[in-house]
Amino acid sequence: VINEIESQAGSPDDWIELYNAGGSTVDLAGYVLSDNSDDHRLTLPAGTSIAPGAFLTVDVATVDGGFGLGGADSARLFAADGTTLLDSHSWTQHSATSLARCPDGTGALRDSDTPTKNAANKCAPLAVPKVAINEVNSDSAPADFIELFNYGTEAADLSGFLIKDNDYTRTDTIKAG
């Protein structure tokens, strides 16, 4: 996944950090990084891989065929076929720091506390939304359900929140949006 984005003259310039949340090494040869323009495409070279739980940062503005990331732009990651979009994130203005997933590899990208190139992201804790479990039905066709209720006064973004029962090996992540 795209794990962190520096779009405002980082070190040494704009960069995109990838993170492998999986359990095995991923061969990234031929994968493509791009901004919001199909004319700006950077193909990762042979021998590029990322180990489980590891970071790989590509300085997109300083390599051959590179590109800069603007104030209103996107970072996109394509599979080696060059057309299958694996991950993307768009923004409307530069972050004062960087855009990062907290914790690494999960959740929505948001402003970090400080850029952490090739290291675990640092983000301030999010405010806990005022949401409660309102109803549970475990004997329902076609599927069981859990109803959540927002008792706050503002919309609650639950993207990336986890739902678990008493068996912690069964976990569902609430999708973005």
Side-chain angles (χ1 to χ4, degrees):
V1 296
I2 296 170
N3 195 56
E4 188 172 8
I5 302 164
E6 171 59 74
S7 68
Q8 192 166 334
S11 173
D13 209 332
D14 297 347
W15 46 266
I16 298 173
E17 178 188 82
L18 304 177
Y19 178 76
N20 181 355
S24 59
T25 298
V26 176
D27 179 3
L28 295 172
Y31 279 49
V32 175
L33 286 171
S34 179
D35 62 1
N36 63 356
S37 171
D38 288 330
D39 294 335
H40 300 152
R41 298 174 66 82
L42 178 65
T43 302
L44 299 179
T48 305
S49 65
I50 186 169
F55 305 94
L56 174 73
T57 301
V58 178
D59 294 308
V60 295
T62 59
V63 295
D64 285 343
F67 53 87
L69 297 170
D73 211 338
S74 299
R76 301 183 294 167
L77 174 65
F78 294 91
D81 65 11
T83 58
T84 303
L85 182 64
L86 301 174
D87 196 12
S88 68
H89 181 73
S90 298
W91 58 93
T92 57
Q93 63 184 21
H94 287 295
S95 169
T97 54
S98 66
L99 297 169
R101 293 184 194 274
C102 290
D104 291 300
T106 63
L109 285 143
R110 60 187 175 101
D111 289 333
S112 67
D113 286 346
T114 184
T116 58
K117 187 177 187 179
N118 283 323
N121 292 336
K122 295 179 183 173
C123 299
L126 292 172
V128 177
K130 295 182 177 185
V131 174
I133 296 173
N134 194 53
E135 183 178 355
V136 175
N137 187 326
S138 61
D139 188 25
S140 176
D144 299 340
F145 67 86
I146 299 170
E147 178 183 271
L148 302 176
F149 176 71
N150 180 355
Y151 60 91
T153 58
E154 298 180 23
D157 182 5
L158 300 180
S159 301
F161 276 63
L162 303 177
I163 296 175
K164 297 181 178 186
D165 65 8
N166 64 340
D167 178 353
Y168 274 30
T169 64
R170 297 188 312 214
T171 301
D172 290 314
T173 304
I174 297 176
K175 295 178 181 173

